């Protein structure tokens, strides 16, 4: 089979906001305790942070990390996590039915984020708390000095204000599982008033209003329209969350699910633009896809843990072990985010360590990379610059739930200052190889720097500690001739073709 593509400098989607390579650390399972933080571990640094984890996070070059939740934030009292550690309260953590010791709070997390060179995207509790507490937290974080909360921060040893720029107004407030779940009008009013007050404290911050928890929510997309009706003038982004899984064990249909993701993005953009028109506003509401990933492997075990063995510190929760086909799915989702870089300005791979994560730790051992580590790494390394929309003529196939599924999904990124173009492409046809012929007409003189490929005979192959089998390799099956790139895209493969 053959596919044809044209890539041209002028087929510009948008400048990519580096924050689309954001991620997420929630106080959940072993993300914080025994994940990023494990005093006493052989690699722990002077602050108790695991150096082996720090190194892998740095390798991923994550520019932004959402914190502290997630569902966790909806009953979180941030004051519990600041001040002398020995005086901190232990709490019942209701979202994940765990024990929160508060040994790590915002100052410890900020220290860790600095070590990995990431900014914090801070979430406020709009489940069980409200405007005043969100304002207090912002004053603690961003006000220089001379007020109760800014001086409290200084008394905790943090002289300089953090200047945290991006703030989430609660989390998944449309979900009935959320503590303090609200109707669209209840949430919209609260979010608007909270945003208004927070911007009085610091007008430089940007705020994210909660969109739907996933596209199949019964309240989607009315939730978006109804909440934005209240928040449009006060916020800068609306959030999208979406996880996929091969729950029916039908790989072809699983890999087609990014068609649903695209429909989700289009619908949220439409809801934003509808409210923009309704309000005669000039402001463009952008999207923060602040939770996305594959999540389904661990669900049954998690229900059992939370039901039958609650109130543990750092329980094993949401520890999905990813297959190779999950890595393909993550690659497809990354391509989708890049294809919509004109409106998606923030995105967070949920999550980063141990909890539905690319990085896993052994309690008494080392770290290891899940299969999904690699597509994220490649996109974060080579997917910065201008997103270019390829004109793509690809064979298609049908699956049980989707028609006209493109065999090839692709996007290109032009890094002008380095004179490099990277083509990200997935062949999601699980049966047939495809020869891609790509006209690179506006990139005269460019040659192939490398063609990285990931493929596995068994799509269910997983990695494990000391046994990392799913790895990228170099393909020799691409060539450049007079501005035409010819590349063999093997069935069910992730491809990164770098040209310069
Ligand atoms: O990322 C795991 C959970 O998924 C988050 O806590 C919640 O926001 C979402 O439902």
């Amino acid at each position: 089979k053959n596919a044809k593509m044209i890539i041209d400098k002028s087929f510009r989607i948008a400048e990519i906001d580096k924050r689309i390579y954001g991620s997420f650390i929630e106080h959940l399972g072993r993300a914080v305790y025994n994940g990023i933080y494990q005093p006493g571990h052989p690699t722990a640094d002077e602050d108790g942070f695991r150096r082996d984890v720090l190194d892998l996070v740095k390798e991923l070059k994550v520019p932004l990390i959402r914190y502290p939740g997630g569902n966790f934030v909806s009953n979180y009292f941030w004051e519990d996590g600041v001040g002398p550690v020995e005086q901190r309260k232990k709490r019942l953590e209701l979202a994940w039915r765990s024990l929160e010791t508060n040994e790590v709070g915002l100052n410890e997390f900020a220290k860790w984020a600095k070590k990995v060179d990431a900014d914090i995207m801070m979430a406020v509790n709009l489940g069980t708390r409200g405007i005043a507490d969100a304002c207090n937290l912002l004053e603690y974080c961003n006000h220089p000095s001379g007020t109760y909360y800014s001086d409290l921060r200084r008394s905790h040893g943090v002289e300089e204000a953090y200047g945290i720029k991006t703030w989430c107004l609660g989390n998944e407030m449309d979900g009935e599982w959320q503590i303090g779940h609200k109707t669209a009008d209840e949430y919209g009013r609260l979010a608007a008033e909270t945003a208004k007050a927070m911007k009085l404290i610091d007008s430089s911050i940007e705020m994210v209003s909660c969109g739907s928890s996933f596209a199949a929510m019964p309240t989607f997309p009315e939730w978006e329209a109804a909440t934005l009706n209240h928040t449009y003038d006060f916020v800068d982004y609306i959030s999208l969350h979406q996880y996929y899984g091969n729950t029916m064990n039908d790989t072809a249909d699983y890999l087609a699910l990014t068609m649903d993701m695209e429909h989700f993005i289009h619908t949220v953009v439409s809801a934003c633009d509808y409210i923009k028109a309704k309000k005669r506003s000039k402001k463009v509401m952008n999207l923060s896809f602040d939770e996305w990933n594959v999540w389904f492997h661990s669900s049954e075990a998690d229900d059992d843990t939370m039901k039958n063995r609650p109130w543990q510190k750092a329980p094993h929760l949401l520890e999905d072990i990813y297959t190779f086909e999950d890595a393909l799915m993550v690659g497809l989702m990354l391509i989708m985010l890049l294809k919509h870089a004109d409106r998606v300005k923030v995105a967070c791979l949920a999550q980063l360590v141990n909890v539905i994560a690319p990085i896993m730790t052994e309690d008494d051992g080392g770290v290891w990379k899940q299969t999904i580590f690699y597509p994220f790494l490649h996109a974060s390394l080579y997917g910065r610059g201008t997103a270019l929309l390829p004109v793509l003529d690809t064979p298609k196939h049908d699956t049980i739930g989707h028609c006209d599924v493109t065999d090839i999904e692709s996007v290109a990124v032009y890094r002008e200052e380095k004179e490099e173009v990277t083509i990200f492409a997935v062949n999601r046809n699980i049966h047939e190889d495809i020869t891609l012929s790509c006209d690179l007409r506006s990139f005269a003189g460019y040659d192939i720097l490398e063609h990285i490929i990931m493929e596995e005979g068994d799509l269910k192959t997983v990695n494990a500690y000391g046994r990392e089998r799913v790895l990228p390799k170099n393909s020799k099956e691409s060539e450049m001739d007079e501005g035409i790139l010819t590349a063999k895209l093997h069935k069910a493969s992730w491809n990164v073709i770098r040209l310069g």
Side-chain angles (χ1 to χ4, degrees):
K1 274 192 173 178
N2 297 296
K4 275 190 177 168
M5 194 155 97
I6 306 170
I7 292 172
D8 193 297
K9 276 180 196 165
S10 53
F11 300 167
R12 247 181 129 258
I13 302 170
E15 200 57 34
I16 296 158
D17 191 318
K18 67 173 184 184
R19 295 174 302 173
I20 71 164
Y21 301 117
S23 189
F24 180 23
I25 289 280
E26 177 167 3
H27 281 248
L28 192 185
R30 299 190 307 126
V32 174
Y33 307 111
N34 296 353
I36 65 170
Y37 178 78
Q38 195 174 356
H41 186 273
T43 70
D45 69 7
E46 65 289 359
D47 298 310
F49 296 122
R50 283 183 65 152
R51 283 201 184 84
D52 54 357
V53 176
L54 284 168
D55 288 345
L56 290 198
V57 175
K58 281 195 255 178
E59 190 179 335
L60 287 177
K61 296 205 185 310
V62 180
L64 182 80
I65 304 183
R66 186 163 173 253
Y67 177 83
N71 296 341
F72 170 82
V73 82
S74 293
N75 191 33
Y76 181 50
F77 287 66
W78 65 269
E79 301 88 334
D80 291 349
V82 297
V85 178
E86 55 292 352
Q87 287 168 24
R88 294 192 193 168
K89 298 170 186 148
K90 289 193 175 64
R91 293 270 199 181
L92 291 181
E93 197 292 291
L94 304 186
W96 305 103
R97 305 196 76 217
S98 307
L99 181 75
E100 176 54 58
T101 62
N102 285 305
E103 289 155 78
V104 172
L106 88 84
N107 292 320
E108 289 79 18
F109 183 74
K111 221 178 214 181
W112 181 82
K114 196 162 178 208
K115 292 182 197 225
V116 298
D117 201 20
D119 290 332
I120 298 174
M121 179 187 203
M122 184 71 85
V124 302
N125 173 358
L126 290 190
T128 57
R129 303 187 95 183
I131 305 171
D133 300 306
C135 287
N136 296 344
L137 174 58
L138 176 60
E139 184 183 316
Y140 184 95
C141 291
N142 283 14
H143 195 71
S145 65
T147 63
Y148 177 74
Y149 283 105
S150 56
D151 288 341
L152 184 65
R153 181 198 70 240
R154 293 170 65 229
S155 77
H156 294 156
V158 184
E159 187 58 39
E160 282 276 303
Y162 290 120
I164 294 173
K165 177 123 179 129
T166 322
W167 293 77
C168 300
L169 294 160
N171 178 68
E172 295 188 350
M173 298 307 304
D174 61 325
E176 50 76 32
W177 61 87
Q178 201 68 217
I179 302 189
H181 156 62
K182 292 176 175 47
T183 65
D185 283 327
E186 286 167 352
Y187 173 71
R189 287 280 305 126
L190 177 60
E193 290 303 322
T194 307
K196 199 167 90 186
M198 288 175 77
K199 281 205 174 158
L200 289 173
I201 297 174
D202 183 349
S203 60
S204 72
I205 62 172
E206 292 193 327
M207 272 177 286
V208 185
S209 182
C210 288
S212 294
S213 300
F214 49 96
M217 285 296 286
T219 45
F220 176 75
E222 184 49 32
W223 172 274
E224 278 66 12
T227 56
L228 284 172
N229 217 8
H230 296 287
T231 59
Y232 202 90
D233 294 336
F234 306 106
V235 306
D236 306 277
Y237 307 94
I238 185 159
S239 72
L240 293 82
H241 290 182
Q242 187 69 56
Y243 297 96
Y244 292 116
N246 189 0
T247 47
M248 305 308 285
N249 198 17
D250 179 334
T251 303
D253 197 49
Y254 173 44
L255 297 179
L257 285 169
T258 48
M259 291 172 82
D260 301 2
M261 180 176 174
E262 182 151 54
H263 185 59
F264 186 23
I265 293 173
H266 285 160
T267 310
V268 175
V269 167
S270 305
C272 292
D273 293 350
Y274 161 63
I275 300 298
K276 178 182 181 212
K278 195 174 153 186
K279 290 192 177 288
R280 296 356 180 204
S281 174
K282 290 202 162 50
K283 172 168 153 184
V284 174
M285 183 65 57
N286 283 319
L287 275 44
S288 171
F289 214 125
D290 48 46
E291 287 188 33
W292 68 270
N293 200 351
V294 170
W295 174 16
F296 75 110
H297 296 284
S298 63
S299 306
E300 247 173 66
D302 295 338
D303 290 347
D304 181 54
T305 304
M306 286 191 282
K307 183 159 179 260
N308 300 316
R309 291 177 301 285
W311 319 128
Q312 299 178 56
K313 180 186 169 188
H316 288 255
L317 284 176
L318 278 68
E319 297 200 8
D320 275 37
I321 303 301
Y322 292 115
T323 59
F324 170 68
E325 67 185 22
D326 297 330
L328 288 180
M329 189 60 189
V330 163
L332 285 162
M333 292 181 87
L334 283 159
I335 290 173
M336 206 44 79
L337 293 171
L338 286 166
K339 277 172 95 171
H340 295 280
D342 56 333
R343 294 300 284 267
V344 179
K345 300 295 173 187
V346 179
C348 302
L349 173 70
Q351 299 191 9
L352 188 54
V353 179
N354 286 335
V355 169
I356 40 175
I359 299 168
M360 299 297 288
T361 71
E362 299 295 302
D363 284 347
D364 303 314
V367 289
W368 55 281
K369 298 172 181 174
Q370 294 242 41
T371 61
I372 64 166
F373 185 94
Y374 295 102
F376 188 83
L377 174 73
H378 298 148
S380 178
L381 290 183
Y382 307 122
R384 303 196 189 211
T386 306
L388 302 177
L389 189 65
V391 175
L392 181 57
D393 181 6
T394 165
K396 295 179 179 168
H397 59 274
D398 291 344
T399 67
I400 188 106
H402 298 84
C403 293
D404 285 335
V405 182
T406 50
D407 284 357
I408 305 296
E409 265 299 308
S410 182
V411 71
V413 175
Y414 175 38
R415 188 122 183 210
E416 197 169 357
E417 77 280 9
K418 288 194 156 186
E419 299 206 340
E420 274 185 34
V421 184
T422 300
I423 299 169
F424 297 99
V426 172
N427 178 358
R428 61 177 156 185
N429 184 322
I430 57 174
H431 303 294
E432 289 171 280
D433 296 348
I434 293 182
T435 302
L436 175 73
S437 153
C438 181
D439 180 345
L440 284 150
R441 55 206 193 164
S442 65
F443 295 101
Y446 277 50
D447 213 338
I448 299 168
L449 300 175
E450 62 176 337
H451 176 172
I452 304 168
I453 182 166
M454 291 182 75
E455 61 181 335
E456 288 295 326
D458 177 0
L459 299 180
K460 306 291 185 194
T461 309
V462 297
N463 285 346
Y465 182 50
R467 204 165 38 91
E468 293 185 28
R469 288 190 288 203
V470 178
L471 292 168
K473 57 186 186 188
N474 277 311
S475 166
K476 298 274 169 259
E477 290 178 90
S478 30
E479 55 185 45
M480 195 68 172
D481 187 19
E482 297 191 1
I484 305 288
L485 165 76
T486 307
K488 187 69 150 306
L489 306 183
H490 290 181
K491 63 184 178 190
S493 65
W494 162 251
N495 301 268
V496 182
I497 306 173
R498 297 181 51 227
L499 306 142

